Each structure stands twice: as structure tokens, then as C-alpha cells.
Amino acid sequence: MHFGPVRAVDGVSLRIERGRVLALVGESGSGKSTVGRCVVRLLAPTSGTVRLAGTDVTHLSRRALRPHRREVSIVFQDPASSLDPRLSVGDIVGEPLRLLGLASSRRERETRVGDALEQVGLRRQVAQRYPHEMSGGQRQRVSIARALVSSPRLLVADEPTSALDVSVQASVLNLLADLQRDLGFACLFITHDLSAVEYLADEVAVMYLGTLVEQGSREAVFDSPSHPYTQALLSAAPLANPREQRARRRVLLSGEIPSPTAPPPGCRFHTRCPVAVERCRTEVPLLRTTALGQVACHLVADDGSGPDVRQQQPVPVGEG
Ligand code: SF4
């Protein structure tokens, strides 16, 4: 059996300024985690570039990449699987310092590990413990300490709270927000939790089936979403105000997200878009700059106005 090459992500271009948080949102299968892994070079992109502070690090060898490793860190979704159960917390948090040669002595490493643990709200003595002796929330704090111990310029946080109990999600999110504000690193925040995006992000980028469909400031994307998919996504997010929640009309998209091995031609969203027209089946909409940000939709005007799918009934338009 032969499968064609899977382009999990196609033509995605993101720029994050120092001290800013860019949220990357979309359904599972949209390719947002793949973008995060390309940024930290856990995956090598087949095309495109990854630049860190102006330096192209896309195709650097393992050795040449080393000086840049400390610049970018990642926090994964599930601390239970991302922390080595055989290592003590101190060894886990100190590992980047050891591998990157960032501490001149064992004593310095232990001091920096203790500082990092305190920074994430844990006691220094936790360094002697093992991951299985800790709660999920504490383990994720250890992951964050490990990610920040090398003082990176960019933190990729890949669904950092979604594997945690609801009761501790808010405290981990608050911690990330405080650390980001105090330390000033840039953050690529990958999530499907739109209330977390509203709380944490300065900018929002929306992905659908491996492509970027909309990008703009948090205010523009949340208050005036241009792309039909963004409108549908936001209509499904719970609101704090029960009256607003009752009054809001939810957009129900027909069908499942198509397979990335065989994305629909034209606009990749056309098989589920309630306002698709004939042109959408054949012509790929380019990401254009509008008055509100950037959007990839044939029906959105230069001032960012376009169809409001919240007024439409879901109309399946076939499988392309
Ligand atoms: Fe919908 Fe067409 Fe816009 Fe795609 S280009 S989002 S199918 S209206």
C-alpha cells in the first residue's frame, strides 16, 4: 500500500516578538503541535525556515545547533510521559544545564536547579524526589522549571494544561503568565482552550488542516473574527456570563476534519464551510493582510468584513 507524503503543515509563517505571547489554536489534527516541534527542531521541516533572533537554524547540524538550544525550550502536554521516571527532579531540571554546559560546577548546577524550582512555586528540597511521588500539577511545574532553567528567549508551551485536573489548570496557567511577564520571554502557546488564549495571548493564529487561516491581535480575532472557521471555533467556546452563553448561537460544522493525507482541493475548509461558493472548491485562498489582521478566505474584504456564519445554517457542500 502506498501513501503520499503527508504535509502536516503547509505555508505557515509565524513571527513572535520578545515578551509577547502568540497563541496557536485549532482542532486536533490541525498541525499546530507539528509547528511547535519544528520550532524547537524536534522535527526538521522539509521546507521553510526557522529563525531565532535573525539566525536561520533550520538546517543546522546537531553540533551547530547546540548554542541555539538554550534559546528555545518546550513544555509538553503530559508531564507524566515527558519526565524520565528514573531521574530525580534535580537531575531532570538540571539536565539542560549539563547537556549545554551552562553550569561550571555541580554546585552551581544545584543552585540554579533550586532557584528554578522556587521560581515555579516548588521547594528546593523537591530536587531529591522522583516524578511518581508528585501530583500532576507539581510535575508540570517541574517541566516548566526544566524549560526555563536555561533562560530561553522563546518558550513553546504545547497544550501545557490539558492533561491536568481542571482544579490545577488555572494555577499552572497563572504561573506561566506570571513567569512570562517577569522574565520577558516570547511564548508560542499551542492550545485548543480558547478561554486560556483570551487570558494569556497578545496575538492569535488559527490553523485548519495544516494551514494558517487567520492571524491577528487577540482583540481583533476574538471581537471580530473574519474567517468562517474562526467564527465557528469561537462560537463553541464557553462564556463566563450565562446570559451571553444562552443568547449566543453556536455554529455547527458538518463532518469531520478531513485527513491531512488527502486534503480537499481549493480552500481546505470548503467541505465544512457553511458559506462556501463554487470558487472555494478549486482556488486556494491566500493569506492576505486586511485592516484586522491576516486571513485566508475568498469572501473576506480588505477591511476584514466578510460572511458571518453565525447567521447561517450549516450547509454541507459535498466532499470537493
Ligand atoms: Fe469558506 Fe470559501 Fe472562505 Fe474557504 S474560502 S473559508 S470555503 S468562504
Side-chain angles (χ1 to χ4, degrees):
M1 199 178 292
H2 174 75
F3 293 99
V6 180
R7 291 181 79 106
V9 174
D10 205 356
V12 172
S13 178
L14 301 170
R15 181 186 172 90
I16 314 174
E17 301 291 339
R18 189 174 181 84
R20 308 282 287 175
V21 179
L22 172 68
L24 191 56
V25 302
E27 291 165 285
S28 53
S30 61
K32 53 192 192 307
S33 288
T34 303
V35 171
R37 282 165 169 72
C38 287
V39 170
V40 293
R41 284 284 318 266
L42 286 174
L43 289 175
T46 45
S47 61
T49 52
V50 177
R51 285 181 182 276
L52 287 175
T55 306
D56 184 349
V57 299
T58 324
H59 302 294
L60 293 185
S61 65
R62 200 176 269 259
R63 176 188 284 257
L65 194 61
R66 207 170 152 203
H68 302 284
R69 283 271 181 222
R70 65 172 296 185
E71 310 273 1
V72 188
S73 294
I74 185 166
V75 174
F76 294 100
Q77 177 176 353
D78 185 3
S81 56
S82 65
L83 302 181
D84 188 335
R86 296 163 303 178
L87 296 183
S88 69
V89 166
D91 285 342
I92 289 170
V93 176
E95 197 170 32
L97 300 177
R98 190 175 56 77
L99 293 177
L100 300 171
L102 297 177
S104 55
S105 64
R106 187 189 174 95
R107 194 187 184 94
E108 185 192 341
R109 193 163 72 229
E110 286 172 358
T111 303
R112 289 183 61 175
V113 166
D115 292 347
L117 289 171
E118 284 189 342
Q119 209 165 32
V120 299
L122 296 171
R123 287 179 297 116
R124 300 181 92 86
Q125 295 84 330
V126 164
Q128 316 303 326
R129 292 167 65 181
Y130 286 81
H132 72 269
E133 300 174 301
M134 311 181 87
S135 69
Q138 288 172 326
R139 283 198 290 258
Q140 195 60 312
R141 284 171 189 264
V142 170
S143 301
I144 295 170
R146 178 181 58 182
L148 296 181
V149 75
S150 59
S151 306
R153 290 175 193 246
L154 171 65
L155 178 73
V156 176
D158 187 2
E159 302 272 10
T161 59
S162 58
L164 304 178
D165 284 349
V166 176
S167 57
V168 295
Q169 286 182 359
S171 63
V172 171
L173 211 56
N174 283 336
L175 171 70
L176 270 177
D178 290 346
L179 290 169
Q180 194 275 329
R181 191 191 53 236
D182 295 346
L183 303 176
F185 53 81
C187 180
L188 177 62
F189 180 47
I190 300 169
T191 185
H192 64 270
D193 179 351
L194 294 172
S195 51
V197 173
E198 213 170 358
Y199 173 62
L200 208 63
D202 299 299
E203 310 260 333
V204 182
V206 184
M207 283 188 72
Y208 181 78
L209 206 57
T211 60
L212 213 54
V213 297
E214 183 159 6
Q215 185 171 1
S217 69
R218 180 194 58 214
E219 293 80 8
V221 172
F222 273 82
D223 297 345
S224 317
S226 298
H227 196 280
Y229 177 65
T230 312
Q231 293 171 17
L233 206 61
L234 290 175
S235 80
L239 294 174
N241 183 328
R243 189 176 297 172
E244 286 178 19
Q245 177 76 40
R246 274 195 299 277
R248 188 174 57 186
R249 182 152 178 204
R250 184 167 175 186
V251 181
L252 294 173
L253 294 177
S254 56
E256 294 292 312
I257 188 166
S259 164
T261 56
C267 175
R268 291 187 176 195
F269 186 51
H270 86 258
T271 56
R272 300 170 77 198
C273 180
V275 292
V277 294
E278 196 52 39
R279 179 186 179 195
C280 306
R281 293 170 175 265
T282 53
E283 200 178 319
V284 177
L286 300 177
L287 195 69
R288 288 179 298 118
T289 300
T290 70
L292 297 176
Q294 290 188 299
V295 67
C297 173
H298 294 311
L299 303 188
V300 174
D302 288 347
D303 65 0
S305 65
D308 188 343
V309 299
R310 293 162 291 193
Q311 309 302 323
Q312 310 278 330
Q313 293 298 331
V315 181
V317 293
E319 293 301 309

